[in-house]
């Protein structure tokens, strides 16, 4: 792992009287997989939305690769190397898997969606899209409509769309949500292949996935980070165990 790639200072976002993020400070190192965990309602998805540019913070700063990106739009962040996958799958269900990824390639290149239909046969879009599908294990499913893919395959496709933008930082919001055991294990195995190749911020409720993937873990409770460290330190932290009272942390 290298230098700090993502630096967050004092990030605050309130909804009425509720502070979903309350002065969050966070450093993410280049090349690491950094998990954000916490009970339901802790503010994890709100944090990810602010990092991605989908939600504007009320206060605080976000620096990425030395650049202040706090006020940049989501597309502007994408062009600088930040990509996000969502808690709920957000693929185009009537398009094939290949079409979906080619659309992500096209969007990242700055072309308007209105040129999409004639561009569907464009090799400059489809060849890199096919390569990304192969990398996530969906090469054989390239011509299948997204609606006909299994839930786990749709999550893989969404990550493929994010990877098609060639990010330096990948923001993953519950990538194994709603998966059965076999699908979850396949997704974890795939995400392991990204370790060291890409910087990943991972929000996940599945503690087995978190402890299998994370280089470091930050724990969020009521909008604040209460602990950050390697998995073994987080597992042994009494404040963390108290926050998860009634939930299972891997022993």
């Amino acid at each position: 792992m290298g230098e700090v790639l993502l630096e967050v200072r004092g990030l605050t976002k309130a909804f009425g009287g509720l502070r979903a993020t309350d002065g969050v400070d966070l450093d993410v190192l280049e090349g690491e997989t950094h998990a954000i965990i916490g009970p339901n309602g802790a503010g994890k998805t709100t944090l990810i939305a602010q990092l991605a540019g989908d939600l504007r913070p009320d206060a605080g700063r976000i620096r990425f690769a030395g650049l202040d990106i706090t006020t940049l739009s989501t597309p502007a962040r994408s062009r600088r190397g930040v990509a996000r996958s969502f808690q709920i799958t957000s693929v185009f269900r009537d398009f094939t898997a290949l079409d979906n990824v080619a659309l992500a390639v096209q969007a990242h290149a700055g072309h308007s969606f209105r040129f999409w239909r004639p561009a569907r046969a464009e090799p400059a879009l489809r060849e890199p899209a096919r390569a990304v599908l192969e990398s996530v294990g969906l090469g054989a499913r390239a011509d299948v409509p997204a609606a006909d893919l299994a839930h786990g395959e749709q999550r893989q496709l969404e990550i493929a769309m994010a990877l098609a933008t060639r990010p330096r930082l990948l923001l993953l919001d519950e990538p194994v949500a709603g998966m059965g055991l076999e699908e979850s294990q396949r997704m974890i195995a795939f995400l392991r292949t990204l370790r060291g190749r890409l910087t990943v911020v991972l929000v996940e409720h599945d503690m087995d996935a978190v402890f299998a993937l994370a280089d470091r873990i930050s724990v969020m409770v009521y909008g604040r980070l209460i602990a950050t460290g390697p998995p073994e330190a987080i597992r042994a932290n009494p404040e963390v165990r108290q926050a998860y009272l009634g939930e299972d942390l891997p022993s």
Side-chain angles (χ1 to χ4, degrees):
M1 290 180 286
E3 301 294 323
V4 173
L5 178 65
L6 177 70
E7 180 185 291
V8 176
R9 293 292 180 267
L11 204 65
T12 300
K13 183 64 182 180
F15 299 98
L18 173 68
R19 287 198 173 198
T21 54
D22 190 2
V24 169
D25 292 339
L26 175 69
D27 288 333
V28 177
L29 306 179
E30 180 130 35
E32 79 169 330
T33 296
H34 194 122
I36 311 291
I37 67 172
N40 288 330
K44 304 181 297 297
T45 293
T46 299
L47 173 60
I48 287 286
Q50 290 173 91
L51 298 181
D54 301 320
L55 196 59
R56 182 69 61 88
D58 297 328
R61 288 291 169 193
I62 304 169
R63 294 182 66 84
F64 174 70
L67 175 70
D68 189 328
I69 64 169
T70 311
T71 61
L72 293 186
S73 67
T74 301
R77 295 185 201 206
S78 177
R79 288 191 293 272
R80 285 162 175 79
V82 179
R84 178 188 182 183
S85 83
F86 288 83
Q87 188 174 16
I88 300 171
T89 304
S90 57
V91 300
F92 295 93
R93 293 175 59 82
D94 293 336
F95 285 9
T96 67
L98 183 62
D99 289 341
N100 268 277
V101 182
L103 181 59
V105 174
Q106 182 187 41
H108 184 64
H111 300 303
S112 169
F113 286 0
R114 68 178 178 271
F115 298 120
W116 168 241
R117 291 194 179 279
R120 290 176 80 171
E122 176 57 53
L125 298 176
R126 297 179 80 76
E127 289 171 8
R130 196 174 293 277
V132 174
L133 282 174
E134 290 284 352
S135 76
V136 303
L138 289 179
R141 308 286 276 167
D143 297 320
V144 176
D148 294 336
L149 297 174
H151 175 69
E153 290 175 325
Q154 290 184 13
R155 301 312 303 264
Q156 285 176 272
L157 174 57
E158 190 185 35
I159 293 174
M161 293 169 68
L163 293 176
T165 68
R166 301 181 182 179
R168 289 180 69 182
L169 174 65
L170 180 60
L171 307 171
L172 296 179
D173 193 356
E174 298 199 35
V176 303
M179 291 187 184
L181 179 60
E182 188 174 335
E183 283 185 321
S184 177
Q185 288 175 338
R186 281 199 298 268
M187 177 60 79
I188 291 169
F190 164 64
L191 293 177
R192 275 200 185 106
T193 69
L194 301 181
R195 291 185 71 181
R197 295 169 40 202
L198 196 61
T199 305
V200 176
V201 174
L202 168 70
V203 166
E204 184 53 66
H205 278 290
D206 186 319
M207 291 297 100
D208 289 330
V210 167
F211 283 94
L213 294 168
D215 297 299
R216 289 194 302 152
I217 300 171
S218 291
V219 184
M220 196 168 192
V221 178
Y222 298 125
R224 297 182 178 182
L225 296 185
I226 64 170
T228 294
E232 58 274 16
I234 294 300
R235 186 184 286 116
N237 187 306
E239 191 175 4
V240 172
R241 300 196 74 87
Q242 183 177 359
Y244 273 90
L245 191 63
E247 301 185 29
D248 291 331
L249 284 179
S251 57

